[in-house]
Amino acid sequence: MLTPTPRTPFARLEQRTHRAVLGHLANATVQVYGVDVPVIYDRPHYGAGMGLAEASQPEMLAQTTDVAPLRQGDRIYVNSNGDVDIFRVASTEPDGTGLTRVVLEQA
């Protein structure tokens, strides 16, 4: 995805750092309007604790500039280890450092 060039040297360094980190740690890709984007994908966790089942919504962490076009309700395809799951965007939560947490829900 083409991303705008940041205006300050620090912002450019931050953007390069995020891209390098995601390049090494990404465990999935998503298609954002036809462009493959590396993400750190976290599937729901189901466990037994005190006899109760725990679950959380699937989510992913991506570079803000790569997922900025996403809006609540958008359909996305997550490719993780050859398995493709279809989700809708529940929310996007930019952290102010150039990364965004995207909370997903089943499509």
Side-chain angles (χ1 to χ4, degrees):
M1 173 174 280
L2 293 176
T3 58
T5 303
R7 297 179 189 203
T8 66
F10 179 78
R12 286 191 296 272
L13 176 60
E14 185 177 57
Q15 188 178 53
R16 282 196 316 267
T17 301
H18 288 312
R19 189 151 316 279
V21 167
L22 285 168
H24 289 288
L25 298 180
N27 60 356
T29 58
V30 297
Q31 282 198 351
V32 178
Y33 294 100
V35 177
D36 286 334
V37 173
V39 299
I40 298 172
Y41 173 58
D42 186 21
R43 294 179 188 211
H45 171 72
Y46 298 97
M50 306 282 295
L52 301 173
E54 299 175 33
S56 63
Q57 287 182 276
E59 59 184 49
M60 62 186 193
L61 186 67
Q63 190 164 357
T64 298
T65 53
D66 288 341
V67 295
L70 290 178
R71 298 291 177 256
Q72 185 175 7
D74 282 354
R75 182 183 300 248
I76 63 168
Y77 300 85
V78 177
N79 183 346
S80 175
N81 297 321
D83 295 329
V84 178
D85 295 310
I86 303 170
F87 295 100
R88 290 201 183 277
V89 174
S91 66
T92 58
E93 302 169 6
D95 68 2
T97 71
L99 295 174
T100 295
R101 177 178 173 244
V102 180
V103 179
L104 307 169
E105 59 191 13
Q106 289 296 322

